[in-house]
Amino acid sequence: MTQPIAPIAKKIPHQLTTHNETRIDNYYWMRDDSRSDKEILAHLTAENEYCDAMLTPQKALQDSLFEELKNRICRDDNSVPVKDGDYWYHSEVSGDEEYSRYYRADDNKGTNKQLLLDVNALAASHEHFELGDMSISPNDSLLTYASDLDGRRIYTINFKHVATGELISDVLENTEGQVVWSNDNKTVFYVKKDPQTLLGTQVYRHILGTNQSDDELVYEEEDHSFYMSLDKSRDESLIFINLESTETSDTWFIDADTPMDEFEQLVDCIDEHEYSVDKLGDTFYIVSNHQATNFKVMTATKETIFDVNQWQTKIDHREDVLIEDIEIFNDYLIIVERELGQIRFVIHRGDTSYPMTFDDPCYYACLGDNPEPSSTTARIYYSSLTTPGSLFETDLATTDRTLLKAQKVLGEFNSDDYKSERIFVTSRDNQQVPVSLVYKKSLYQQDSTNPVLQYGYGAYGITIDPNFSPHTLSLLNRGFVYAIAHVRGSEMLGRQWYEHGKKAHKHNTFNDFIDVSKYLVDEKIAHPQKLFANGGSAGGLLMGAIINQAPQLYRGVGAHVPFVDVVTTMLDESIPLTTNEYDEWGNPNELDAYNTIKAYSPIDNVAAQNYPNLLVTTGLHDSQVQYFEPMKWVAKLREFKTNDNLLVFKTDMESGHAGASGRFKSLEEKALEMAFFINLCD
């Protein structure tokens, strides 16, 4: 049988000169912002065909895994109704439907249930469909919904009458997908996107019954290092414009009762002051890092909110506890904290406080949907590596919990068959890196026989908590150990854990991951020839860095929508999101940052060496990491790699950064990767 021939990309030298240094990019020609260049599309198609051909031996396994993953999902399912105002809202999905239907009813039993939106009907004629935000007008008569048809996260917003289901003529295009209603039920605010950079920099006011072309620009942010979003205060009295860069916050507001007023700045914008604000009654609640590395909770009144020095400290900063979030109720305040990587909730009532506790060695918990500030109960979501997601109603006076719903896992599943552990690995610079492990008890032996899949992300302060995934069972049931390396760049161990994994300290992220890998092998948790790794987006950058620095450690690596052309991207302000990222990676227009980034940028450090087996995936319409980054990276790896290990590249021609839409279609990529790893164990 003839061996498939890998697509070899043509080389057209392109000079990129920065700081008097010239880099040659032979694959710069692959960039096409229109995504319509025939030669580029032909090359991507050839890569897809080569991928399919090279993975033909695993196709039966892949199909079997897909059915396995699909058959664990409950076909008929619904969310727990939640009360918001006069109605109870929930969603349902059934059979082989890819998407949900959304309803509201008069009570939690579904009396007078009314269909609000059938996403299956909306998606029926589209290869890709993503539902953005939905919102209901204050008088409950109108519904807005946002839709993205190609994965670029550019949303069109439609309006419909709830009573009749009829669309009204108002349509808002090129938006972030979010609408906030004023209290007059006819005026809405939305963020408009720049179609080139995909940045949301402008807030518009729209009055129902008028054309979008007549909408008034009410705020424009000139500093493109900020992300922009809208929100409404807990008491629905204020509308906020929230501006967030990596290190600085800025908030503007307007009275929701007087939507024709001008937005006003909440407090002077101070570099490196990060905060979030909410309001209930006469009190503003602020989570702020002002003179508080791990944040503190502060309060203010309408008279003192404009001066940070007049804010009052309600919960002070602690060196070893990170404050992540708060939820405000009339009589209670819930604080979401993290200590030594573990989340906890602390309920405050007056001058007293008391925690909610959990038993698993490593877990994930978060606040559920709690729209009613008058409630004396709160919904809490809980999951661990061995515990399916569970929604609890918690009595805020006693902390007693009532299970409302637990995630159903179809087939033969017993959580007692699996074990999770939390360990700490000493890094090369003597830091303790947390690692979450899970495995099937009957198949685990600490004798260097286990295949291990190690996952990592490590950027933006995003913490990947150890929560349950029914899909991972397919690996655990085949003897795999699944490990999450909580490397620096997250906030797992507090704000400093993040600060020490970005910009000039970014190398710590890669070193931590590699050091965890070595530990797993040295401690005989992993078979030395069966250690696998995967990550996506910024985690794809992590994958690109580790295979340049320690390729011998890994049998196979999955890199998904990987951010791998870091220098070139961060020098190009026309690429979506570049300017927002300077505080994360550094600005390579500055020499020190340029040298730091160039030292780890995956594509700039590809070398003539043996590489692990590699599966690379992307989406043609990705708005976060452009398709041409992995495309160029794969071409350069093909040019330089010195062994015959697999290098396959799969592009979803219909999707974006989040991959395929729909609850079943999205499983195809998971099955593809699992089969890739399992097949390499033979």
Side-chain angles (χ1 to χ4, degrees):
M1 183 176 178
T2 303
Q3 180 77 359
I5 299 175
I8 302 300
K10 68 180 181 181
K11 295 164 62 174
I12 302 177
H14 180 85
Q15 293 188 354
L16 296 165
T17 302
T18 311
H19 303 299
N20 297 317
E21 179 182 75
T22 297
R23 294 176 297 124
I24 302 298
D25 185 344
N26 290 319
Y27 304 107
Y28 193 86
W29 64 270
M30 292 178 171
R31 172 176 171 166
D32 170 35
D33 294 339
S34 71
R35 289 161 169 74
S36 61
D37 183 277
K38 292 182 179 179
E39 186 176 10
I40 290 173
L41 294 177
H43 187 84
L44 291 174
T45 299
E47 286 281 11
N48 283 350
E49 292 172 350
Y50 175 73
C51 178
D52 291 342
M54 292 301 292
L55 299 185
T56 295
Q58 71 173 48
K59 186 63 169 63
L61 175 60
Q62 183 182 327
D63 292 343
S64 176
L65 282 164
F66 175 74
E67 291 301 319
E68 198 173 295
L69 299 178
K70 188 175 178 180
N71 289 335
R72 283 199 194 99
I73 296 176
C74 185
R75 294 296 199 276
D76 302 323
D77 202 5
N78 59 276
S79 64
V80 178
V82 60
K83 188 175 186 294
D84 188 356
D86 294 332
Y87 295 93
W88 292 75
Y89 294 85
H90 77 282
S91 64
E92 298 178 6
V93 66
S94 62
D96 288 330
E97 290 176 339
E98 292 278 4
Y99 304 95
S100 296
R101 284 163 279 114
Y102 293 85
Y103 295 90
R104 77 177 184 190
D106 291 342
D107 55 36
N108 63 353
K109 298 179 181 179
T111 303
N112 296 323
K113 185 173 75 172
Q114 182 179 17
L115 178 66
L116 296 175
L117 200 66
D118 183 349
V119 184
N120 296 285
L122 295 175
S125 59
H126 304 286
E127 288 292 329
H128 184 92
F129 186 92
E130 288 183 30
L131 180 69
D133 283 359
M134 295 172 55
S135 65
I136 299 284
S137 61
N139 64 5
D140 297 321
S141 65
L142 293 172
L143 166 75
T144 72
Y145 65 91
S147 54
D148 169 19
L149 303 183
D150 63 12
R152 292 286 282 168
R153 299 184 181 178
I154 303 175
Y155 292 90
T156 298
I157 296 170
N158 291 96
F159 297 74
K160 65 185 293 188
H161 292 286
V162 174
T164 65
E166 293 180 2
L167 289 173
I168 63 177
S169 59
D170 301 56
V171 177
L172 306 178
E173 297 180 332
N174 295 323
T175 81
E176 287 276 9
Q178 185 184 29
V179 161
V180 173
W181 289 87
S182 68
N183 292 338
D184 67 1
N185 296 292
K186 67 177 183 180
T187 307
V188 299
F189 296 88
Y190 65 95
V191 177
K192 197 170 185 178
K193 275 198 169 185
D194 181 318
Q196 174 64 34
T197 66
L198 301 187
L199 292 175
T201 59
Q202 298 175 320
V203 178
Y204 279 86
R205 176 169 48 222
H206 175 76
I207 299 174
L208 292 185
T210 65
N211 292 324
Q212 186 180 13
S213 59
D214 297 325
D215 291 351
E216 183 179 358
L217 176 66
V218 296
Y219 182 87
E220 183 166 14
E221 180 53 55
E222 300 291 345
D223 185 346
H224 290 178
S225 67
F226 284 94
Y227 289 103
M228 178 184 287
S229 64
L230 301 174
D231 201 3
K232 206 168 187 179
S233 62
R234 182 75 158 153
D235 60 10
E236 300 188 345
S237 67
L238 300 178
I239 295 171
F240 294 121
I241 299 173
N242 296 318
L243 301 166
E244 298 287 345
S245 72
T246 303
E247 297 180 338
T248 305
S249 305
D250 192 14
T251 301
W252 294 66
F253 73 97
I254 194 173
D255 191 315
D257 289 331
T258 55
M260 303 308 291
D261 289 351
E262 292 187 3
F263 278 85
E264 186 176 358
Q265 192 175 30
L266 189 79
V267 65
D268 287 342
C269 184
I270 304 170
D271 283 347
E272 299 187 6
H273 180 205
E274 296 179 63
Y275 69 92
S276 61
V277 64
D278 206 345
K279 176 180 175 290
L280 183 62
D282 296 327
T283 305
F284 289 87
Y285 294 82
I286 311 104
V287 179
S288 166
N289 73 342
H290 181 61
Q291 299 176 350
T293 302
N294 274 333
F295 292 83
K296 57 186 174 183
V297 179
M298 309 188 79
T299 60
T301 65
K302 63 181 180 181
E303 290 80 22
T304 62
I305 187 62
F306 302 102
D307 183 359
V308 66
N309 295 310
Q310 295 191 56
W311 295 354
Q312 299 296 308
T313 299
K314 184 171 181 64
I315 300 168
D316 212 345
H317 164 260
R318 288 154 291 172
E319 292 292 337
D320 56 351
V321 178
L322 175 69
I323 295 178
E324 292 193 335
D325 197 8
I326 63 173
E327 188 84 284
I328 312 165
F329 296 86
N330 291 349
D331 299 319
Y332 300 91
L333 180 65
I334 302 178
I335 311 297
V336 183
E337 301 180 346
R338 187 185 295 271
E339 184 173 14
L340 287 176
Q342 299 286 50
I343 291 172
R344 66 168 173 248
F345 302 100
V346 181
I347 302 170
H348 291 255
R349 185 179 189 183
D351 295 328
T352 63
S353 64
Y354 39 94
M356 300 185 212
T357 58
F358 305 100
D359 298 327
D360 283 304
C362 49
Y363 59 84
Y364 169 64
C366 68
L367 295 167
D369 195 3
N370 297 292
E372 295 287 311
S374 61
S375 179
T376 59
T377 62
R379 292 188 176 180
I380 301 294
Y381 176 86
Y382 178 83
S383 171
S384 76
L385 290 171
T386 59
T387 307
S390 304
L391 184 67
F392 293 92
E393 190 96 271
T394 302
D395 186 312
L396 294 176
T398 65
T399 72
D400 291 341
R401 292 196 290 265
T402 302
L403 180 64
L404 299 178
K405 182 181 180 180
Q407 178 185 2
K408 294 180 180 178
V409 181
L410 302 184
E412 296 181 1
F413 169 73
N414 184 342
S415 62
D416 292 336
D417 292 341
Y418 305 87
K419 183 178 180 180
S420 63
E421 296 182 33
R422 189 164 181 260
I423 62 174
F424 287 86
V425 173
T426 303
S427 68
R428 65 192 70 181
D429 61 344
N430 209 35
Q431 296 297 305
Q432 296 298 300
V433 182
V435 181
S436 300
L437 300 174
V438 63
Y439 49 84
K440 191 168 186 177
K441 296 176 185 176
S442 62
L443 299 177
Y444 177 73
Q445 297 291 332
Q446 197 165 336
D447 61 356
S448 296
T449 61
N450 309 293
V452 172
L453 174 58
Q454 180 182 333
Y455 170 81
Y457 186 75
Y460 305 108
I462 295 172
T463 299
I464 307 298
D465 284 295
N467 64 340
F468 184 80
S469 168
H471 313 316
T472 306
L473 295 175
S474 290
L475 292 176
L476 305 185
N477 292 342
R478 290 171 171 83
F480 273 75
V481 177
Y482 181 62
I484 305 172
H486 304 288
V487 296
R488 277 172 279 188
S490 76
E491 288 185 339
M492 173 60 79
L493 296 183
R495 183 68 180 189
Q496 291 303 317
W497 201 244
Y498 169 42
E499 297 291 344
H500 292 162
K502 70 174 184 176
K503 293 200 291 193
H505 306 292
K506 190 62 197 171
H507 60 276
N508 288 327
T509 302
F510 317 130
N511 292 347
D512 286 353
F513 194 91
I514 291 169
D515 291 345
V516 169
S517 298
K518 291 178 178 178
Y519 176 91
L520 295 174
V521 172
D522 291 344
E523 293 299 312
K524 300 183 179 182
I525 296 171
H527 187 296
Q529 298 301 317
K530 295 182 181 180
L531 178 60
F532 303 90
N534 71 344
S537 195
L541 162 60
L542 173 58
M543 296 301 104
I546 65 165
I547 64 170
N548 282 334
Q549 296 175 22
Q552 74 285 352
L553 286 174
Y554 306 99
R555 174 70 173 158
V557 170
H560 309 296
V561 291
F563 178 37
V564 285
D565 196 6
V566 188
V567 178
T568 303
T569 291
M570 294 306 298
L571 284 168
D572 188 347
E573 294 185 9
S574 71
I575 291 179
L577 311 182
T578 290
T579 53
N580 294 104
E581 306 285 303
Y582 288 152
D583 288 337
E584 179 69 28
W585 313 106
N587 183 349
N589 291 296
E590 300 167 1
L591 180 59
D592 287 347
Y594 173 83
N595 288 331
T596 296
I597 295 170
K598 188 164 68 80
Y600 67 74
S601 175
I603 201 169
D604 292 288
N605 289 279
V606 169
Q609 62 179 345
N610 290 345
Y611 279 94
N613 295 280
L614 293 172
L615 169 64
V616 183
T617 65
T618 192
L620 179 63
H621 301 285
D622 195 331
S623 61
Q624 309 296 108
V625 179
Q626 308 301 300
Y627 75 90
F628 44 80
E629 291 205 28
M631 185 181 182
K632 290 167 59 179
W633 183 49
V634 168
K636 190 169 183 180
L637 284 166
R638 286 205 200 288
E639 179 185 353
F640 279 85
K641 68 190 290 285
T642 55
N643 60 353
D644 294 328
N645 280 343
L646 286 169
L647 171 56
V648 289
F649 178 37
K650 188 85 168 180
T651 302
D652 187 327
M653 308 299 273
E654 307 294 339
S655 76
H657 196 65
S661 59
R663 61 175 180 156
F664 296 125
K665 188 176 179 181
S666 62
L667 300 178
E668 293 177 0
E669 184 175 305
K670 291 182 175 63
L672 176 73
E673 182 185 64
M674 286 184 183
F676 182 76
F677 293 148
I678 294 167
N679 198 59
L680 289 170
C681 288
D682 295 337

